[in-house]
Amino acid sequence: MVSRFRSIALLVVLAVFGLGFALAQPAIQPTVDITQVPAAAQPSAHFDADAATEAYLAMIPPAATARSNAYFEGGYWLILWDFLYSAVVCLILLNLRWSAKMRDLAVRVTRFRWLQDAIYWGQYLVLTSVLGFPLGFYEGYIREHKYGLATQSFWPWMGDQGKGLLIGLILGGLAVVLLLAIVRKLPRTWWLWGSIAMICLTMVSVAIGPVYLQPIFNKVTKLSDPKVTVPILRMAHANGIPTNDVYQIDASRQTTRMSANVSGFAGTTRITLNDNLLRRGSPEEIQAVMGHEMGHYVMHHIPKGIFFMSVVIVIFFAGLYWSLGWALGRWGERWQIRDVSDPAVLPLVFLLAGVFFFVLTPVMNTETRTQEKEADMFGLNAARLPDGFAQAAIHLSEYRKMRPGPVEEYFFFDHPSGYDRIHSAMVWKGENLQLFEKPPAQPAAH
Ligand SMILES: [Zn+2]
């Protein structure tokens, strides 16, 4: 069996290398850089938010719109393909009893249950990473290059994948060992204690993310240019954020995307701008984006997001308790899985998780999008730079569809659409025109 694994892995790697060289294309560079406020968005007595929004959207070349629509809509299908592909991988592992064989190997190596679980996890993660590589490579490398969003060549990209795999081995291994121990100790109530353990693990990983995980992939430094930091910190202090640091990350190592985020939890919370935003964004745009990020911070979106995830995790574990029992009753013998505490059950767990989170896609997106909308409104009020915010929305149109239908937005958007963001900004501007009108000329002093 091991030799069969090896030959499959070799085949996959060879196929992928061939593909990689055949499909390598010159990157398409993003073209839209907005530096002027269009005429219809200038303050005037007949300022109209709809017309101002259209004027901004008209600044995006049609070819750029077509490209980002194609990229973003392709992403809808990838949700489906990712789900189906990983479901097939899980079913192969179960039905060909590869999962049972990996468990048998772990049992032969050691008699300690926790170590058996860890050894199983190592085999499982490596095997599913190899089997999942073709789709992951297409999605994360070929497609990103095709749309001009990636900056990494093959080997640095592979290096990042390797780091991700190592982190998965360590953190995933700890989670698997802990959860299986809980299942063994508490066979009737493991779903409740397991979900509590999972929530704690989620909190820990969010907390260590910006300090210990992010620097494995990118260089994170404190932003020192006072031209950028002074207005940001002024806005932060005005909004009750007691920080004196803003961070920057060299995201251009991997991508051309402009972005910023709030990350961390319980003492590690911080705002980070990426270097693409710093390089390409105008000062108003940077300030407008920071206003949005501060909204996440002030409205405690990370703790609220963790709370939401906690509810989802408890529901998932309760469903898992029921559905694992049902599925093992029907097929357990055929898959040679002894019971729920057998590590060989993991492909089934991931299969059920795949179904659960696939169905939940619109719910998860709507939860995030609702927070993003709140942050947008906070940012407009805090930064008072609606045109800077519109510029940012246009920059983000390089990888997000600007004008989806309402159903499409509900299902697939984890941020408000570009149209919605510019429109909100222009409505805000229309209600605050006095901030943008030039003061009447003073009579010259004699
Ligand atoms: Zn946001």
Side-chain angles (χ1 to χ4, degrees):
M1 186 48 63
V2 171
S3 72
R4 199 199 292 176
F5 284 175
R6 228 176 262 154
S7 54
I8 289 172
L10 192 67
L11 263 175
V12 168
V13 170
L14 284 176
V16 156
F17 273 72
L19 257 176
F21 289 119
L23 295 179
Q25 289 185 359
I28 303 164
Q29 278 312 307
T31 48
V32 191
D33 267 319
I34 306 292
T35 46
Q36 295 216 317
V37 177
Q42 302 276 4
S44 72
H46 41 85
F47 180 90
D48 175 60
D50 294 333
T53 306
E54 294 302 335
Y56 263 114
L57 288 168
M59 296 175 92
I60 307 174
T65 304
R67 190 171 75 213
S68 71
N69 284 358
Y71 175 76
F72 202 80
E73 287 163 11
Y76 305 162
W77 287 102
L78 281 176
I79 298 172
L80 178 66
W81 300 134
D82 282 339
F83 162 61
L84 291 177
Y85 194 100
S86 55
V88 168
V89 167
C90 289
L91 287 169
I92 288 175
L93 262 53
L94 293 169
N95 280 301
L96 299 183
R97 299 191 197 97
W98 291 3
S99 185
K101 286 180 177 111
M102 291 192 286
R103 185 254 346 264
D104 292 345
L105 180 67
V107 171
R108 278 202 298 278
V109 172
T110 175
R111 62 189 175 83
F112 297 109
R113 291 295 296 261
W114 68 270
L115 199 52
Q116 291 172 5
D117 298 344
I119 292 170
Y120 175 91
W121 172 248
Q123 300 175 77
Y124 176 86
L125 191 63
V126 171
L127 178 63
T128 51
S129 301
V130 170
L131 293 177
F133 193 81
L135 184 59
F137 180 66
Y138 166 72
E139 202 170 319
Y141 188 85
I142 296 177
R143 188 166 176 269
E144 293 295 296
H145 273 279
K146 189 176 151 198
Y147 285 97
L149 295 169
T151 55
Q152 265 178 324
S153 55
F154 182 74
W155 286 110
W157 182 82
M158 274 303 277
D160 277 359
Q161 303 304 302
K163 289 177 191 173
L165 183 65
L166 269 178
I167 294 170
L169 280 171
I170 297 166
L171 296 186
L174 288 172
V176 165
V177 168
L178 176 67
L179 290 172
L180 283 170
I182 291 173
V183 173
R184 269 173 219 131
K185 282 265 183 309
L186 304 157
R188 278 174 206 286
T189 52
W190 64 257
W191 65 272
L192 183 59
W193 299 107
S195 54
I196 291 170
M198 196 68 199
I199 292 163
C200 294
L201 290 170
T202 306
M203 289 200 268
V204 170
S205 58
V206 174
I208 65 171
V211 182
Y212 296 104
L213 301 181
Q214 192 68 261
I216 298 174
F217 297 94
N218 289 88
K219 209 164 105 196
V220 183
T221 46
K222 279 183 189 168
L223 199 58
S224 55
D225 180 0
K227 273 212 293 294
V228 184
T229 55
V230 166
I232 291 174
L233 290 175
R234 196 176 285 157
M235 183 162 57
H237 296 156
N239 286 285
I241 302 174
T243 185
N244 287 310
D245 297 316
V246 183
Y247 292 82
Q248 72 165 317
I249 183 169
D250 64 340
S252 60
R253 234 192 115 239
Q254 288 99 353
T255 180
T256 61
R257 290 173 165 82
M258 293 171 67
S259 75
N261 68 46
V262 176
S263 59
F265 178 61
T268 63
T269 314
R270 57 168 69 165
I271 291 178
T272 310
L273 288 95
N274 86 11
D275 57 346
N276 295 320
L277 174 63
L278 283 168
R279 205 180 58 248
R280 290 181 55 206
S282 67
E284 309 85 69
E285 180 177 354
I286 294 174
Q287 191 76 353
V289 170
M290 284 292 101
H292 168 98
E293 300 306 332
M294 286 177 198
H296 285 311
Y297 190 105
V298 170
M299 291 184 280
H300 305 291
H301 281 168
I302 290 185
K304 285 178 186 166
I306 292 176
F307 177 76
F308 174 79
M309 268 316 286
S310 303
V311 174
V312 171
I313 287 170
V314 172
I315 295 171
F316 171 67
F317 270 71
L320 196 62
Y321 180 80
W322 173 81
S323 55
L324 279 181
W326 175 78
L328 288 183
R330 280 188 84 131
W331 298 292
E333 218 166 303
R334 176 167 161 195
W335 294 334
Q336 293 174 2
I337 299 172
R338 293 176 196 132
D339 55 43
V340 188
S341 71
D342 181 348
V345 80
L346 270 189
L348 181 58
V349 172
F350 278 100
L351 177 64
L352 294 167
V355 174
F356 182 76
F357 283 99
F358 178 72
V359 172
L360 231 56
T361 304
V363 178
M364 305 295 278
N365 281 342
T366 298
E367 197 269 339
T368 316
R369 192 177 62 247
T370 308
Q371 288 194 340
E372 294 297 338
K373 178 75 189 175
E374 289 176 2
D376 280 0
M377 299 320 291
F378 182 97
L380 285 170
N381 283 315
R384 304 174 178 208
L385 293 165
D387 294 293
F389 195 68
Q391 288 169 19
I394 287 182
H395 270 136
L396 298 179
S397 79
E398 284 161 10
Y399 58 94
R400 288 202 190 119
K401 187 171 179 175
M402 286 302 269
R403 221 190 255 232
V407 178
E408 192 179 8
E409 188 166 357
Y410 176 80
F411 272 90
F412 295 115
F413 276 64
D414 59 2
H415 283 71
S417 68
Y419 177 86
D420 178 287
R421 300 183 112 171
I422 298 177
H423 192 254
S424 303
M426 291 303 111
V427 169
W428 192 95
K429 187 175 185 179
E431 301 298 338
N432 291 282
L433 275 182
Q434 76 287 354
L435 295 176
F436 305 95
E437 278 153 3
K438 290 195 185 73
Q442 296 290 318
H446 293 285

